[in-house]
Amino acid sequence: MISFSIEDINAFINGEVVGSTTNKITGLEQIQKANENQATFIGNRKFAGLWKDSKASLAIVNDNIDIEPGENRVFIKVKNADLAMANLLESFVPKPPHFETDIHPSAIIDPSAQIGKGSRVGAGSYIGKDVVLGENVTIYPNVTILDETTIGDQTVIWSGTVIRERSVIGSHCIFHNNVSIGADGFGYRPSDDGRGLVKIPHIGNVVIGNAVEIGANSCVDRGKFSSTILGDGCKIDNLVQIAHNCVLGRSCIMAGSSGLAGSVTLGDGVVIGGSASIKDHTTIHSGATVGAGSGVMGDVAAGKTVLGYPAVDSREMLKQWVALRKLAR
């Protein structure tokens, strides 16, 4: 079991120690669930009142919150408790699943594939023709990577993921369980005889930048002609749909169950809230935010926050909700 003293922990986050304790810290937990050997954090004044009933010996606390730790308890005061806690969590990360051998005997790897130094391929995985894996790539069991795909250094692909042919994946990416990269886009047209739908071929690919993380069961479809593109540093939650020919700039965030229809463009640093839906051929400019559950039907200006269905300026939507509530009384 990992165990740290208060001095060890403060070396990670470099705050001001207030109080003392004889307890060692072996883990991290929510303030209401923590025991005497666990640390917690208080990043907002509204949670300060929970401290007196918490059993935690240590709390990482914003330095603008004026409370005392109490007997045999410690605060480490920092400017931003959320960020400090995130840094501290790095020290408690458990070891990843064990690989007995770098390349499991049951993995199927085409002779033309190139496997970089230090890369590992788990049981039951398939690596197709002319695939290129960089150095120190980790492929967990039962992953499928199809022909002519390239994956950069230090990328981690978790079990169940399927990466279709000709995909280009950057370095230091993380794809969680059952991610789908490069499936056909959703495109159909009525047949000439009016008796059915004709499938539109999608002959493009997916290009994903560096340090992109994609959550479990999320899908990024291939382009119809060219590429669906995710820029460096994008973070995609679970159960997210990114349709054909979408282009995401750098460091975009999409929360769970949100979706982009075809040919949506996001600028840099765009935030899409959970369950939000974005109409096809829409552009959301850099720094804009789309509130959870919103339906975006047109372009959104840079830095703007929109909310509702159809989505409008968040302040205007809040005024509408207040007016409706008054009418309902």
Side-chain angles (χ1 to χ4, degrees):
M1 180 181 293
I2 301 173
S3 176
F4 294 106
S5 68
I6 301 302
E7 292 73 21
D8 294 333
I9 289 174
N10 195 39
F12 296 127
I13 60 178
N14 194 27
E16 176 191 359
V17 177
V18 179
S20 63
T21 183
T22 57
N23 295 324
K24 292 284 188 177
I25 303 302
T26 60
L28 308 170
E29 188 51 273
Q30 298 174 43
I31 190 168
Q32 293 158 300
K33 296 181 178 180
N35 64 41
E36 63 182 12
N37 293 115
Q38 291 176 317
T40 189
F41 75 108
I42 304 172
N44 191 299
R45 286 186 176 89
K46 69 180 181 180
F47 298 113
L50 301 175
W51 176 247
K52 66 180 187 301
D53 294 320
S54 177
K55 294 181 173 60
S57 295
L58 168 64
I60 315 302
V61 183
N62 275 13
D63 57 15
N64 61 354
I65 298 177
D66 187 20
I67 56 175
E68 295 298 324
E71 185 179 354
N72 198 29
R73 305 172 91 188
V74 177
F75 286 163
I76 299 179
K77 292 203 167 187
V78 294
K79 185 175 181 180
N80 189 318
D82 290 336
L83 287 178
M85 195 66 166
N87 291 335
L88 186 56
L89 279 166
E90 293 284 347
S91 304
F92 287 92
V93 173
K95 290 182 179 180
H98 176 66
F99 277 73
E100 193 68 38
T101 60
D102 283 349
I103 308 298
H104 195 277
S106 67
I108 299 174
I109 300 176
D110 190 276
S112 64
Q114 300 176 43
I115 310 298
K117 181 180 178 181
S119 291
R120 302 177 297 174
V121 180
S125 290
Y126 175 81
I127 310 295
K129 184 176 183 296
D130 294 325
V131 168
V132 177
L133 303 185
E135 296 185 357
N136 299 307
V137 173
T138 300
I139 307 297
Y140 282 103
N142 300 313
V143 168
T144 298
I145 302 174
L146 295 179
D147 301 7
E148 299 178 41
T149 290
T150 63
I151 297 178
D153 299 346
Q154 305 279 349
T155 286
V156 176
I157 312 293
W158 286 92
S159 297
T161 293
V162 176
I163 300 176
R164 288 275 301 273
E165 60 276 15
R166 304 188 309 281
S167 295
V168 179
I169 314 298
S171 300
H172 299 275
C173 294
I174 302 172
F175 295 170
H176 292 278
N177 300 69
N178 302 314
V179 165
S180 171
I181 303 293
D184 287 356
F186 188 69
Y188 299 90
R189 290 291 181 269
S191 62
D192 289 340
D193 60 12
R195 294 183 178 181
L197 297 172
V198 177
K199 179 178 174 64
I200 298 173
H202 286 72
I203 61 173
N205 71 339
V206 173
V207 176
I208 294 177
N210 300 319
V212 172
E213 185 163 0
I214 301 180
N217 297 293
S218 289
C219 303
V220 182
D221 292 344
R222 68 175 56 251
K224 183 188 297 184
F225 304 117
S226 51
S227 301
T228 302
I229 300 173
L230 276 64
D232 293 349
C234 288
K235 309 301 180 187
I236 309 301
D237 198 358
N238 299 339
L239 297 167
V240 169
Q241 162 68 9
I242 298 174
H244 63 89
N245 291 106
C246 288
V247 177
L248 280 64
R250 293 168 57 91
S251 300
C252 295
I253 295 173
M254 294 184 64
S257 299
S258 59
L260 308 181
S263 299
V264 169
T265 299
L266 305 185
D268 295 340
V270 171
V271 177
I272 307 294
S275 299
S277 301
I278 316 300
K279 180 182 177 294
D280 60 286
H281 295 87
T282 296
T283 297
I284 300 178
H285 292 276
S286 295
T289 297
V290 177
S294 298
V296 176
M297 309 301 288
D299 293 355
V300 178
K304 190 173 185 179
T305 298
V306 296
L307 185 63
Y309 192 94
V312 297
D313 182 270
S314 58
R315 292 166 296 184
E316 178 61 31
M317 181 54 65
L318 291 171
K319 289 178 183 177
Q320 292 181 27
W321 288 346
V322 170
L324 286 171
R325 183 176 294 177
K326 288 179 179 178
L327 288 172
R329 289 177 180 172

